[in-house]
Amino acid sequence: MAFNQVQSDYDQLQGLLSGGGDLKSFLNGLTRLASGVMTEAAGASVECAVTLLRQKRPVTIAGSSQLAVRLDEIEQAVGGGPCTEALRIGRPVLLADVSTDTRWPTYRKALAAAGCGSCLGVPLDPGENAAAALNFFASPAGPITEQMVARATAFAESAGQAMALAVRMAAKDELTNDLRAAMEKRTVIDLAAGIIMGQNRCTQDEAMKILMAVSSNRNQKLAAVAEEVVAGVSGSRDVRTHFDA
């Protein structure tokens, strides 16, 4: 990896840090920057989301687009994919072709339905005894190559350092609120899947396929679809989760 590329990544990330925004703004900026870096490398659209491992559960905390956030949330909801695997083993995991790779069949179908041809999970080291990862989604026209994996890995090294500093700079209550919101999304998805399982006498995997199909057809976030399912039973969209900062 050329030194000038690494230096450019570092300079742009430092620019985000010095921009004066809050942690959420920094993370959104980080994913947009990562998307731009990989889109340039691929010559085709590549979206990015960032996932943080919290209480042994991965949660989406930012994305370069609504599609990136939705695909990242689906991976966590179905319990498997390149990003969650990268978090587990601590190194990049590539799903090079959703049409031929045999891993994660439920998630691959969701990726294909969204027009995504390949996916890459790259771990970050944000410090503070935390684990995070970048999740890249490429269109069929620009599949993720091994050369792009190297580019993403180099970017992630600088991004991890910047994220560690951003977390330290952020107010503790701000970080707690962001994580609580992310965890509550996971809770409502789990509740909705349970409701569908009870109503249809189906497995959790089948329930998630139903939720993902509705999310894809409506072009609506998975959590928003789940809220509607829960509200239809409880009469309220208000969902709480137990959370320790």
Side-chain angles (χ1 to χ4, degrees):
M1 184 60 58
F3 172 78
N4 60 345
Q5 286 185 323
V6 175
Q7 185 63 47
S8 176
D9 293 343
Y10 179 82
D11 291 344
Q12 291 184 78
L13 288 162
Q14 291 301 308
L16 290 176
L17 284 170
S18 61
D22 58 13
L23 180 62
K24 185 68 173 179
S25 297
F26 168 78
L27 292 171
N28 282 329
L30 186 153
T31 57
R32 288 192 293 268
L33 178 58
S35 171
V37 164
M38 292 296 281
T39 293
E40 181 179 3
S45 176
V46 179
E47 299 291 349
C48 177
V50 61
T51 297
L52 182 69
L53 190 65
R54 183 69 179 179
Q55 297 179 334
K56 298 183 179 180
R57 300 182 69 188
V59 291
T60 304
I61 52 177
S64 59
S65 68
Q66 287 190 355
L67 175 61
V69 171
R70 180 161 63 87
L71 292 175
D72 202 59
E73 290 177 344
I74 289 173
E75 176 178 348
Q76 296 157 26
V78 300
C83 189
T84 51
E85 183 69 5
L87 279 168
R88 187 181 71 83
I89 66 176
R91 61 177 183 270
V93 176
L94 174 63
L95 196 171
D97 189 337
V98 299
S99 65
T100 59
D101 198 306
T102 58
R103 298 170 295 172
W104 312 299
T106 301
Y107 188 47
R108 282 192 294 109
K109 289 180 182 178
L111 291 172
C116 177
S118 54
C119 179
L120 170 68
V122 183
L124 297 172
D125 182 11
E128 303 294 329
N129 297 316
L134 294 175
N135 211 1
F136 294 99
F137 308 98
S139 67
I144 297 173
T145 64
E146 290 297 334
Q147 184 177 3
M148 290 171 61
V149 174
R151 181 70 181 96
T153 302
F155 178 86
E157 291 179 3
S158 297
Q161 297 172 15
M163 184 174 173
L165 182 56
V167 169
R168 288 196 295 269
M169 291 168 60
K172 186 175 184 295
D173 58 347
E174 175 190 328
L175 179 59
T176 298
N177 289 338
D178 286 345
L179 291 174
R180 180 179 288 110
M183 290 293 288
E184 286 177 353
K185 285 184 180 179
R186 286 296 307 273
T187 297
V188 76
I189 291 170
D190 290 343
L191 285 173
I195 291 169
I196 292 173
M197 289 168 66
Q199 291 175 339
N200 295 274
R201 297 182 180 274
C202 64
T203 66
Q204 183 180 13
D205 190 49
E206 290 168 336
M208 283 306 309
K209 287 180 180 178
I210 293 171
L211 281 173
M212 288 188 293
V214 175
S215 173
S216 178
N217 290 337
R218 296 182 181 176
N219 193 25
Q220 188 176 12
K221 290 183 179 179
L222 189 65
V225 174
E227 284 178 359
E228 292 183 9
V229 173
V230 173
V233 173
S234 68
S236 172
R237 291 174 178 261
D238 188 25
V239 174
R240 300 293 178 185
T241 187
H242 297 290
F243 181 88
D244 293 323

